[in-house]
Amino acid sequence: MKKYFNKVLIANRGEIAVRIQRACKELGIQTVAVHSTADSDAMHVKLADESVCVGPPQAVNSYLNIPAIISACEITGAEAVHPGYGFLSENAHFAEILEAHNITFIGPTSEHINIMGDKITAKETVSNLGIPVVPGSNGKIEDLNHAKKIAKDIGFPVLIKASSGGGGKGMKIAKSQNELEEAFNMAKIEAKASFGDDTVYIEKYLETPRHIEIQILGDKNGNAIHLGERDCSLQRRNQKVLEEATSPVIDALKREEIGEIASSAISKLGYHGAGTIEFLYEDNKFYFIEMNTRLQVEHPITEIITDCDLVKEQISIAAGYNLSKKQADVVIKGHAIECRINAENPKTFIPSPGKITAYHPAGGPGVRVDSGAYSGYTIPPYYDSMIGKLIVFGNNRRDCIDKLNRTLDEFVIEGVETTLPLFKDLLKNEDIISGNYNIHWLENYLENHP
Ligand code: ADP
């Protein structure tokens, strides 16, 4: 077995911290968990070889507390840090500080995080590398007159977006010239309040696209590959709810075409690590919206259909090895669907933290559950409400849906409310069964099924 690192610190919590520990253990790497005082009993702490408390419950004082996390590395002698997703995973400053301490950041360089973290720079960069982007302003919008000119050129409806945006914040639609001034001002105010930066740009608002993203991997030796697409069009408030791979609307030829564009751009950029290039897809065309320079929540569906462990790849890339696969070795097989299980009311989506009194995950062939939940675990109210992911593999889409139906019936979580019933309802719907949906479908469905 290759010795990538002796000890890795995982700067995260919940299901993703457990997921990363599993990869480390299989690679013979010692694991260090960090946790807040609210997470002392969490699964990721129980499973780690060592753990360090890095602060009080609020994430800003614990999981985002860079000095405390660096101290935890120094105390435990961790040689590398895996940031998971969220928290510090796309924080270029954190990556730089680790570099300065001679600790390896399991992810791309701080320079690449910075480029992709600013949406205007990201769009410009990828466009120069041959990736198709949504028509719009090539750069920042200076003032209302500038906005009017661009909107006139591309045609309404338009979307005003925050350059530092994330989580769907700082985005406003203007359907006509009358709505432009208000949308422009509101987007700027929201961007300033959420990100401390009111830089905005304009894009053509696509009315019925799907959200399709390409998984890429690059190593430090200039190799880059893609692992096909994930369809994440089922969203509520711009948050993904259910994801599937492959997409019901992408055939092998289209996959190869966009995948080749994505991996060659990554290779030209000299990007290393895992990454996701997100596109909107409408009328058989792809339009780049952003690149995430980290592991995604929905990475398991790609792992299953490509037989590739993305976390192990990230670790091996960080240690300087070549990718384990060449493009020709990537074979896509079958179909996978992931359901995000949130501790929330399935109708109102109001979080439901508290004690899980009974927990029996589903099982059987082709079923994977990534979770930090267990019977007797108390879900703290301080973090996001996702408590696990149910991931199902089938030989084809129909087989996968049948298996998911069976699995949802088996899964038991008591004591808190969860979104499991929502998935049972969705799987009865003809549009879902036939794969006929776009990014607005779920919001419309929820409005009609209160
Ligand atoms: P964030 O980083 O805030 O999540 P994204 O640029 O990734 O922002 O967009 C999030 C979601 O917003 C997309 O998945 C899509 O649903 C919608 N969206 C973004 N840009 C457009 C656009 N030009 N037209 C239509 N919808 C868009």
Side-chain angles (χ1 to χ4, degrees):
M1 189 190 290
K2 282 181 192 157
K3 199 75 193 161
Y4 300 115
F5 299 102
N6 290 310
K7 201 183 265 190
V8 167
L9 180 140
I10 297 149
N12 217 301
R13 64 181 300 281
E15 68 86 20
I16 195 61
V18 172
R19 161 74 189 93
I20 297 162
Q21 283 177 3
R22 286 177 172 148
C24 288
K25 286 182 185 198
E26 288 169 23
L27 293 171
I29 298 172
Q30 295 279 304
T31 57
V32 181
V34 291
H35 66 92
S36 70
T37 50
D39 271 343
S40 308
D41 291 330
M43 177 90 100
H44 78 282
V45 177
K46 292 182 194 287
L47 291 180
D49 294 304
E50 287 169 76
S51 62
V52 181
C53 180
V54 285
Q58 274 73 23
V60 45
N61 298 319
S62 51
Y63 296 103
L64 294 169
N65 182 344
I66 296 179
I69 290 172
I70 302 283
S71 302
C73 291
E74 308 240 289
I75 294 164
T76 56
E79 299 158 7
V81 172
H82 195 307
Y85 52 68
F87 295 130
L88 296 168
S89 61
E90 288 176 300
N91 185 318
H93 177 59
F94 180 55
E96 264 164 33
I97 293 181
L98 287 173
E99 279 161 31
H101 283 77
N102 279 327
I103 301 164
T104 305
F105 178 68
I106 302 179
T109 59
S110 51
E111 188 200 341
H112 285 141
I113 299 175
N114 266 328
I115 292 175
M116 296 304 167
D118 180 89
K119 295 195 176 184
I120 292 180
T121 319
K123 224 176 143 178
E124 198 181 324
T125 306
V126 304
S127 175
N128 289 336
L129 294 168
I131 293 186
V133 299
V134 188
S137 58
N138 293 323
K140 169 181 178 180
I141 290 290
E142 301 295 344
D143 53 31
L144 186 60
N145 278 337
H146 187 198
K148 281 185 184 157
K149 185 182 175 315
I150 302 286
K152 196 161 168 248
D153 289 349
I154 58 175
F156 286 95
V158 298
L159 191 63
I160 325 273
K161 295 175 82 171
S163 193
S164 305
K169 292 212 182 77
M171 249 190 264
K172 296 285 167 217
I173 304 171
K175 296 203 182 86
S176 66
Q177 176 89 358
N178 300 341
E179 294 180 5
L180 192 61
E181 182 167 2
E182 192 182 339
F184 179 69
N185 291 334
M186 290 303 292
K188 272 179 109 65
I189 291 169
E190 201 172 296
K192 182 81 186 172
S194 305
F195 315 109
D197 168 17
D198 70 354
T199 310
V200 295
Y201 62 108
I202 291 191
E203 269 180 5
K204 174 92 186 150
Y205 178 73
L206 304 178
E207 300 198 55
T208 53
R210 296 179 81 109
H211 173 118
I212 295 183
E213 55 186 37
I214 306 289
Q215 176 70 52
I216 56 91
L217 285 173
D219 66 26
K220 293 180 176 175
N221 312 311
N223 305 302
I225 59 169
H226 74 88
L227 297 167
E229 81 283 3
R230 294 183 286 260
D231 196 320
C232 312
S233 305
L234 288 174
Q235 302 180 1
R236 178 181 170 269
R237 302 202 171 153
N238 293 322
Q239 299 291 321
K240 298 161 188 168
V241 171
L242 175 152
E243 304 95 349
E244 61 180 316
T246 56
S247 165
V249 297
I250 302 295
D251 62 19
L253 202 64
K254 265 256 157 324
R255 176 172 311 120
E256 208 178 296
E257 198 185 304
I258 192 69
E260 168 56 30
I261 292 173
S263 55
S264 93
I266 285 311
S267 163
K268 282 186 228 155
L269 196 61
Y271 181 93
H272 67 76
T276 297
I277 307 190
E278 296 193 335
F279 294 93
L280 294 178
Y281 182 76
E282 191 175 71
D283 296 334
N284 296 317
K285 288 197 206 80
F286 286 95
Y287 302 94
F288 170 87
I289 44 171
E290 69 166 342
M291 174 166 178
N292 292 322
T293 53
R294 53 166 168 84
L295 194 68
Q296 305 267 109
V297 174
E298 59 274 20
H299 74 278
I301 54 177
T302 298
E303 297 191 312
I304 290 181
I305 62 161
T306 58
D307 191 23
C308 176
D309 186 313
L310 287 168
V311 179
K312 287 184 185 170
E313 287 294 327
Q314 288 185 298
I315 294 171
S316 123
I317 292 167
Y321 289 89
N322 282 343
L323 298 179
S324 72
K325 285 182 200 277
K326 298 203 176 353
Q327 193 63 56
D329 304 327
V330 178
V331 179
I332 291 179
K333 194 169 150 272
H335 197 89
I337 300 182
E338 172 182 278
C339 300
R340 298 189 185 197
I341 306 170
N342 292 349
E344 288 171 359
N345 178 291
K347 292 277 182 198
T348 62
F349 300 96
I350 292 170
S352 171
K355 187 168 179 172
I356 297 178
T357 51
Y359 178 80
H360 304 288
V367 178
R368 165 172 167 181
V369 177
D370 281 18
S371 176
Y374 57 87
S375 284
Y377 171 61
T378 299
I379 303 164
Y382 308 102
Y383 314 106
D384 79 66
S385 55
M386 198 184 73
I387 52 167
K389 304 179 312 206
L390 169 62
I391 306 120
V392 168
F393 171 79
N395 292 326
N396 52 48
R397 194 167 183 273
R398 182 66 249 182
D399 183 33
C400 190
I401 289 175
D402 290 344
K403 197 171 292 196
L404 188 51
N405 262 317
R406 183 273 287 170
T407 319
L408 286 165
D409 286 339
E410 265 180 36
F411 215 124
V412 176
I413 302 178
E414 284 171 9
V416 296
E417 292 183 292
T418 76
T419 46
L420 283 170
L422 169 69
F423 297 111
K424 287 192 198 183
D425 288 345
L426 287 178
L427 287 191
K428 292 189 192 106
N429 189 284
E430 265 315 309
D431 287 341
I432 300 293
I433 294 168
S434 60
N436 177 26
Y437 55 81
N438 62 41
I439 59 168
H440 305 298
W441 188 93
L442 184 58
E443 293 276 6
N444 291 336
Y445 171 88
L446 292 171
E447 246 172 58
N448 296 323
H449 296 79

